[in-house]
Amino acid sequence: MVAAIAPDTREDTHLDVTLDPLRPWQTVVWNDPVNLMSYVVHVFREYFGFERSEAERLMLAVHHEGHAVVAEGAREQMELHVRAMHDSGLWATVRQAPQ
């Protein structure tokens, strides 16, 4: 019989982030090594309805800066956007807009 070892239950959690219910949330798309720039533009145009110039601007921000905020609003809507980006094969996250 093997003796059970109690897990370490000590939690040293330090959260410096304060959530403000009045600040909007953002959908952030991240650069990845897989998707072509033309495909990212296509996804932005089809899903968000961006004009070509706006879709290209955001794609270039993703490419050169590593990420771009593609939408801002209620958390639930941003989570839906992230899910759609994942379904399209893009890397995306939700975050609360900076102060």
Side-chain angles (χ1 to χ4, degrees):
M1 180 171 191
V2 176
I5 299 173
D8 183 4
T9 58
R10 183 186 62 195
E11 291 184 27
D12 295 330
T13 305
H14 301 284
L15 296 177
D16 295 333
V17 177
T18 304
L19 298 180
D20 179 353
L22 300 178
R23 277 191 297 152
W25 292 80
Q26 297 175 328
T27 298
V28 181
V29 174
W30 299 88
N31 194 25
D32 67 64
V34 178
N35 292 295
L36 297 174
M37 292 187 285
S38 59
Y39 177 70
V40 175
V41 169
H42 169 76
V43 171
F44 289 172
R45 292 193 73 202
E46 289 295 314
Y47 180 76
F48 292 106
F50 292 139
E51 294 292 330
R52 178 174 298 281
S53 60
E54 179 66 2
E56 288 175 350
R57 182 187 73 76
L58 290 167
M59 174 277 297
L60 287 171
V62 169
H63 182 69
H64 293 296
E65 299 169 28
H67 69 283
V69 174
V70 297
E72 191 170 276
R75 182 175 184 165
E76 294 78 12
Q77 185 63 51
M78 298 306 103
E79 289 172 351
L80 291 174
H81 292 333
V82 166
R83 177 60 166 202
M85 295 299 98
H86 291 174
D87 290 347
S88 296
L90 303 183
W91 294 353
T93 57
V94 173
R95 72 176 182 199
Q96 195 165 30
Q99 293 180 332

